Amino acid sequence: MLLRARERASELGCPAVLPGVGAVLRVLAAATRAHAVVEVGTGAGVAALWLLRGMPYDGQLTTIDREVEHQRAARAAFAEDGVAPQRTRIIPGRPGDVLPRLADGAYDLVLVASDPLGYPEYVEEALRLLRPGGVLAIDGALLRDRVADPARRDELTTVVREVGRTLRNDERVLPAMLPSGDGLLLAVRR
């Protein structure tokens, strides 16, 4: 199912988490016993499938994407994988509009995997959504090795670099960068 979902993502031209990142997400969902998860950037459902495989069977994943076509592909992936419909809540819309409507401190894990220019806004909202002990995961945090290169000063690289710096200095979280995929930045909410 994951391979088919990755193929759909490729056909749609939307990014999909790499298998190493997916495995980490599955373990994080299991380790935190994540009953309530938010995913920013549905894509074709690849990351969601990994997360759902680590979540308890009564857990629910809320996934947000502005592209309805991506959400259709994710729905198909969930159905093919036998995911019960009540385990997913698929919300179309701009994450910046949807995230403020979600409940404070009600989520165990938030994955930000879409629209790097929106990361500062999404990360701040994610920290509001997370319960103490909840985990924020940001996929693509190394931005194809551009973040580590001080000579790279384009807007996208600067924004992603600044998100990492901000989390490193934020007393509300305990952050760590994992070299999985294109960099998976984790932060545990204190």
Side-chain angles (χ1 to χ4, degrees), residues 113-130:
S114 171
D115 183 22
L117 290 176
Y119 280 9
E121 178 184 7
Y122 307 156
V123 165
E124 196 54 41
E125 285 294 331
L127 294 177
R128 180 187 60 77
L129 297 174
L130 286 169

PDB file of all heavy atoms in Angstrom, residues 113-130:
ATOM      1  N   ALA A 113       4.539  18.821   7.178  1.00  0.00           N
ATOM      2  CA  ALA A 113       5.234  18.240   6.022  1.00  0.00           C
ATOM      3  C   ALA A 113       4.827  18.903   4.718  1.00  0.00           C
ATOM      4  O   ALA A 113       4.800  18.266   3.679  1.00  0.00           O
ATOM      5  CB  ALA A 113       4.950  16.737   5.963  1.00  0.00           C
ATOM      6  N   SER A 114       4.484  20.182   4.779  1.00  0.00           N
ATOM      7  CA  SER A 114       4.011  20.861   3.579  1.00  0.00           C
ATOM      8  C   SER A 114       4.308  22.345   3.673  1.00  0.00           C
ATOM      9  O   SER A 114       4.297  22.913   4.770  1.00  0.00           O
ATOM     10  CB  SER A 114       2.503  20.644   3.458  1.00  0.00           C
ATOM     11  OG  SER A 114       1.955  21.438   2.445  1.00  0.00           O
ATOM     12  N   ASP A 115       4.575  22.961   2.537  1.00  0.00           N
ATOM     13  CA  ASP A 115       4.680  24.409   2.444  1.00  0.00           C
ATOM     14  C   ASP A 115       5.708  25.004   3.404  1.00  0.00           C
ATOM     15  O   ASP A 115       5.348  25.679   4.366  1.00  0.00           O
ATOM     16  CB  ASP A 115       3.290  25.023   2.688  1.00  0.00           C
ATOM     17  CG  ASP A 115       3.274  26.532   2.552  1.00  0.00           C
ATOM     18  OD1 ASP A 115       4.169  27.091   1.888  1.00  0.00           O
ATOM     19  OD2 ASP A 115       2.369  27.149   3.140  1.00  0.00           O
ATOM     20  N   PRO A 116       7.006  24.774   3.162  1.00  0.00           N
ATOM     21  CA  PRO A 116       8.032  25.268   4.081  1.00  0.00           C
ATOM     22  C   PRO A 116       7.970  26.765   4.386  1.00  0.00           C
ATOM     23  O   PRO A 116       8.339  27.174   5.484  1.00  0.00           O
ATOM     24  CB  PRO A 116       9.348  24.914   3.377  1.00  0.00           C
ATOM     25  CG  PRO A 116       9.004  23.763   2.502  1.00  0.00           C
ATOM     26  CD  PRO A 116       7.582  23.994   2.063  1.00  0.00           C
ATOM     27  N   LEU A 117       7.482  27.562   3.467  1.00  0.00           N
ATOM     28  CA  LEU A 117       7.375  29.000   3.772  1.00  0.00           C
ATOM     29  C   LEU A 117       6.343  29.259   4.870  1.00  0.00           C
ATOM     30  O   LEU A 117       6.399  30.288   5.551  1.00  0.00           O
ATOM     31  CB  LEU A 117       7.037  29.802   2.515  1.00  0.00           C
ATOM     32  CG  LEU A 117       8.157  29.901   1.479  1.00  0.00           C
ATOM     33  CD1 LEU A 117       7.674  30.631   0.230  1.00  0.00           C
ATOM     34  CD2 LEU A 117       9.392  30.580   2.054  1.00  0.00           C
ATOM     35  N   GLY A 118       5.432  28.321   5.053  1.00  0.00           N
ATOM     36  CA  GLY A 118       4.433  28.439   6.111  1.00  0.00           C
ATOM     37  C   GLY A 118       4.867  27.830   7.438  1.00  0.00           C
ATOM     38  O   GLY A 118       4.137  27.915   8.435  1.00  0.00           O
ATOM     39  N   TYR A 119       6.051  27.223   7.486  1.00  0.00           N
ATOM     40  CA  TYR A 119       6.516  26.546   8.707  1.00  0.00           C
ATOM     41  C   TYR A 119       6.439  27.415   9.960  1.00  0.00           C
ATOM     42  O   TYR A 119       5.983  26.940  11.004  1.00  0.00           O
ATOM     43  CB  TYR A 119       7.935  26.018   8.541  1.00  0.00           C
ATOM     44  CG  TYR A 119       8.069  24.713   7.785  1.00  0.00           C
ATOM     45  CD1 TYR A 119       7.007  24.123   7.125  1.00  0.00           C
ATOM     46  CD2 TYR A 119       9.303  24.068   7.729  1.00  0.00           C
ATOM     47  CE1 TYR A 119       7.154  22.946   6.423  1.00  0.00           C
ATOM     48  CE2 TYR A 119       9.455  22.881   7.035  1.00  0.00           C
ATOM     49  CZ  TYR A 119       8.380  22.313   6.391  1.00  0.00           C
ATOM     50  OH  TYR A 119       8.538  21.142   5.716  1.00  0.00           O
ATOM     51  N   PRO A 120       6.873  28.682   9.924  1.00  0.00           N
ATOM     52  CA  PRO A 120       6.816  29.469  11.169  1.00  0.00           C
ATOM     53  C   PRO A 120       5.399  29.526  11.758  1.00  0.00           C
ATOM     54  O   PRO A 120       5.216  29.316  12.963  1.00  0.00           O
ATOM     55  CB  PRO A 120       7.301  30.854  10.745  1.00  0.00           C
ATOM     56  CG  PRO A 120       8.193  30.580   9.571  1.00  0.00           C
ATOM     57  CD  PRO A 120       7.526  29.434   8.842  1.00  0.00           C
ATOM     58  N   GLU A 121       4.417  29.766  10.918  1.00  0.00           N
ATOM     59  CA  GLU A 121       3.023  29.825  11.377  1.00  0.00           C
ATOM     60  C   GLU A 121       2.547  28.455  11.845  1.00  0.00           C
ATOM     61  O   GLU A 121       1.928  28.323  12.903  1.00  0.00           O
ATOM     62  CB  GLU A 121       2.145  30.327  10.227  1.00  0.00           C
ATOM     63  CG  GLU A 121       0.677  30.386  10.556  1.00  0.00           C
ATOM     64  CD  GLU A 121      -0.168  30.805   9.347  1.00  0.00           C
ATOM     65  OE1 GLU A 121       0.364  30.916   8.219  1.00  0.00           O
ATOM     66  OE2 GLU A 121      -1.371  30.999   9.554  1.00  0.00           O
ATOM     67  N   TYR A 122       2.841  27.411  11.070  1.00  0.00           N
ATOM     68  CA  TYR A 122       2.372  26.067  11.400  1.00  0.00           C
ATOM     69  C   TYR A 122       3.013  25.550  12.678  1.00  0.00           C
ATOM     70  O   TYR A 122       2.357  24.884  13.484  1.00  0.00           O
ATOM     71  CB  TYR A 122       2.648  25.091  10.257  1.00  0.00           C
ATOM     72  CG  TYR A 122       2.119  25.528   8.910  1.00  0.00           C
ATOM     73  CD1 TYR A 122       2.683  25.034   7.745  1.00  0.00           C
ATOM     74  CD2 TYR A 122       1.077  26.443   8.787  1.00  0.00           C
ATOM     75  CE1 TYR A 122       2.216  25.425   6.503  1.00  0.00           C
ATOM     76  CE2 TYR A 122       0.611  26.842   7.552  1.00  0.00           C
ATOM     77  CZ  TYR A 122       1.183  26.324   6.404  1.00  0.00           C
ATOM     78  OH  TYR A 122       0.725  26.718   5.175  1.00  0.00           O
ATOM     79  N   VAL A 123       4.276  25.856  12.879  1.00  0.00           N
ATOM     80  CA  VAL A 123       4.982  25.399  14.088  1.00  0.00           C
ATOM     81  C   VAL A 123       4.387  26.071  15.325  1.00  0.00           C
ATOM     82  O   VAL A 123       4.151  25.421  16.348  1.00  0.00           O
ATOM     83  CB  VAL A 123       6.496  25.655  13.960  1.00  0.00           C
ATOM     84  CG1 VAL A 123       7.191  25.534  15.311  1.00  0.00           C
ATOM     85  CG2 VAL A 123       7.099  24.684  12.957  1.00  0.00           C
ATOM     86  N   GLU A 124       4.128  27.352  15.246  1.00  0.00           N
ATOM     87  CA  GLU A 124       3.536  28.043  16.398  1.00  0.00           C
ATOM     88  C   GLU A 124       2.158  27.467  16.716  1.00  0.00           C
ATOM     89  O   GLU A 124       1.822  27.246  17.884  1.00  0.00           O
ATOM     90  CB  GLU A 124       3.460  29.552  16.133  1.00  0.00           C
ATOM     91  CG  GLU A 124       3.238  30.361  17.370  1.00  0.00           C
ATOM     92  CD  GLU A 124       4.250  30.113  18.493  1.00  0.00           C
ATOM     93  OE1 GLU A 124       5.456  29.984  18.242  1.00  0.00           O
ATOM     94  OE2 GLU A 124       3.795  30.035  19.658  1.00  0.00           O
ATOM     95  N   GLU A 125       1.364  27.219  15.695  1.00  0.00           N
ATOM     96  CA  GLU A 125       0.053  26.598  15.914  1.00  0.00           C
ATOM     97  C   GLU A 125       0.212  25.187  16.487  1.00  0.00           C
ATOM     98  O   GLU A 125      -0.531  24.782  17.382  1.00  0.00           O
ATOM     99  CB  GLU A 125      -0.749  26.549  14.611  1.00  0.00           C
ATOM    100  CG  GLU A 125      -1.317  27.877  14.194  1.00  0.00           C
ATOM    101  CD  GLU A 125      -2.374  28.413  15.142  1.00  0.00           C
ATOM    102  OE1 GLU A 125      -3.083  27.620  15.808  1.00  0.00           O
ATOM    103  OE2 GLU A 125      -2.510  29.642  15.234  1.00  0.00           O
ATOM    104  N   ALA A 126       1.175  24.431  15.973  1.00  0.00           N
ATOM    105  CA  ALA A 126       1.402  23.066  16.452  1.00  0.00           C
ATOM    106  C   ALA A 126       1.749  23.070  17.934  1.00  0.00           C
ATOM    107  O   ALA A 126       1.246  22.226  18.699  1.00  0.00           O
ATOM    108  CB  ALA A 126       2.519  22.406  15.652  1.00  0.00           C
ATOM    109  N   LEU A 127       2.561  24.002  18.372  1.00  0.00           N
ATOM    110  CA  LEU A 127       2.927  24.060  19.787  1.00  0.00           C
ATOM    111  C   LEU A 127       1.709  24.352  20.654  1.00  0.00           C
ATOM    112  O   LEU A 127       1.600  23.851  21.769  1.00  0.00           O
ATOM    113  CB  LEU A 127       4.030  25.094  20.011  1.00  0.00           C
ATOM    114  CG  LEU A 127       5.373  24.739  19.368  1.00  0.00           C
ATOM    115  CD1 LEU A 127       6.379  25.867  19.579  1.00  0.00           C
ATOM    116  CD2 LEU A 127       5.913  23.417  19.881  1.00  0.00           C
ATOM    117  N   ARG A 128       0.799  25.126  20.151  1.00  0.00           N
ATOM    118  CA  ARG A 128      -0.460  25.393  20.865  1.00  0.00           C
ATOM    119  C   ARG A 128      -1.317  24.140  20.941  1.00  0.00           C
ATOM    120  O   ARG A 128      -1.974  23.868  21.940  1.00  0.00           O
ATOM    121  CB  ARG A 128      -1.222  26.526  20.162  1.00  0.00           C
ATOM    122  CG  ARG A 128      -2.547  26.898  20.809  1.00  0.00           C
ATOM    123  CD  ARG A 128      -3.310  27.900  19.968  1.00  0.00           C
ATOM    124  NE  ARG A 128      -3.640  27.441  18.637  1.00  0.00           N
ATOM    125  CZ  ARG A 128      -4.631  26.585  18.336  1.00  0.00           C
ATOM    126  NH1 ARG A 128      -5.384  26.073  19.292  1.00  0.00           N
ATOM    127  NH2 ARG A 128      -4.871  26.239  17.090  1.00  0.00           N
ATOM    128  N   LEU A 129      -1.317  23.356  19.873  1.00  0.00           N
ATOM    129  CA  LEU A 129      -2.165  22.157  19.791  1.00  0.00           C
ATOM    130  C   LEU A 129      -1.663  21.002  20.649  1.00  0.00           C
ATOM    131  O   LEU A 129      -2.450  20.169  21.097  1.00  0.00           O
ATOM    132  CB  LEU A 129      -2.249  21.675  18.337  1.00  0.00           C
ATOM    133  CG  LEU A 129      -2.890  22.618  17.331  1.00  0.00           C
ATOM    134  CD1 LEU A 129      -2.767  22.044  15.920  1.00  0.00           C
ATOM    135  CD2 LEU A 129      -4.341  22.877  17.682  1.00  0.00           C
ATOM    136  N   LEU A 130      -0.344  20.934  20.865  1.00  0.00           N
ATOM    137  CA  LEU A 130       0.243  19.780  21.540  1.00  0.00           C
ATOM    138  C   LEU A 130       0.013  19.801  23.043  1.00  0.00           C
ATOM    139  O   LEU A 130       0.154  20.836  23.692  1.00  0.00           O
ATOM    140  CB  LEU A 130       1.746  19.720  21.277  1.00  0.00           C
ATOM    141  CG  LEU A 130       2.160  19.268  19.884  1.00  0.00           C
ATOM    142  CD1 LEU A 130       3.647  19.518  19.675  1.00  0.00           C
ATOM    143  CD2 LEU A 130       1.815  17.797  19.659  1.00  0.00           C
TER     144      LEU A 130
END
